[in-house]
Amino acid sequence: VTAPGAVDDVAILKAFRLLRAFRPLRMLTKLKGLQLLVNSLLHSVSALGNVLGVTMLMWLVFAILGVSMFKGSFDYCTDVNVIGRKDCVGSALDERGDIIQLQWIKPEANFDSVPLSFYTLFELNTMDGWIDVAYMGIDAVGVDMQPIPAFNKTVVVYFISFIMV
């Protein structure tokens, strides 16, 4: 049988064991080369902050440009024979002949607001699925309009210039 406070004491001791992870830092006092390396890294943090600021400023420019070009135009209906959002009601037959309920879908990556633009630009920057976002931009017609394949091929310049910058 343990005392009521015994469990808390064991948890506190486990927390102190975590401090053992800092033991390698004692090597800083002994190795001058490692000390120089850590000092150089700490002094470069301010320069990295400046680089981050300029990068975020460039992303903001591309995010605002993306909102002005693509706001609301990445949305689409589950039926390709629909012209716009107002026609995307009821049900229709898909390619296999099954009856599907029509839905107006907003993709996860879009340019409907500046924060969502930052998310989409991050996806472009990581090069993970950027081609899908570029194709959505190329197919975009307008707000609440069904995308048309290869409607505006010139917008690919926006995506490639962001990746290059």
Side-chain angles (χ1 to χ4, degrees):
V1 181
T2 60
V7 176
D8 294 334
D9 294 339
V10 172
I12 291 171
L13 289 176
K14 285 183 181 179
F16 279 121
R17 277 193 236 157
L18 288 175
L19 296 176
R20 286 189 286 182
F22 295 113
R23 282 185 185 169
L25 292 178
R26 289 188 297 180
M27 295 300 288
L28 285 175
T29 60
K30 296 177 184 173
L31 299 174
K32 296 297 178 194
L34 188 59
Q35 218 173 19
L36 180 66
L37 178 68
V38 170
N39 285 335
S40 298
L41 285 173
L42 291 176
H43 289 307
S44 67
V45 169
S46 63
L48 288 175
N50 293 337
V51 170
L52 180 67
V54 170
T55 302
M56 288 297 112
L57 185 64
M58 291 302 296
W59 277 38
L60 180 64
V61 168
F62 275 99
I64 292 171
L65 187 61
V67 168
S68 67
M69 287 173 40
F70 302 117
K71 183 175 184 173
S73 61
F74 279 17
D75 305 349
Y76 62 94
C77 185
T78 51
D79 185 17
V80 294
N81 299 322
V82 171
I83 296 172
R85 185 178 194 153
K86 63 181 179 354
D87 302 326
C88 188
V89 292
S91 58
L93 294 175
D94 66 355
E95 299 86 29
R96 297 178 299 187
D98 297 332
I99 296 176
I100 58 166
Q101 191 67 24
L102 297 181
Q103 296 177 2
W104 192 254
I105 298 173
K106 180 181 294 295
E108 191 174 329
N110 60 59
F111 289 93
D112 290 351
S113 66
V114 173
L116 287 172
S117 296
F118 269 96
Y119 171 77
T120 306
L121 291 175
F122 180 76
E123 186 174 336
L124 289 171
N125 196 39
T126 60
M127 303 297 282
D128 183 32
W130 80 273
I131 197 73
D132 297 329
V133 176
Y135 276 127
M136 284 191 286
I138 292 169
D139 298 344
V141 175
V143 178
D144 292 339
M145 298 294 295
Q146 180 74 4
I148 298 172
F151 180 75
N152 189 5
K153 294 179 183 178
T154 59
V155 299
V156 78
V157 172
Y158 169 80
F159 298 105
I160 291 175
S161 63
F162 173 74
I163 291 170
M164 294 301 228
V165 169

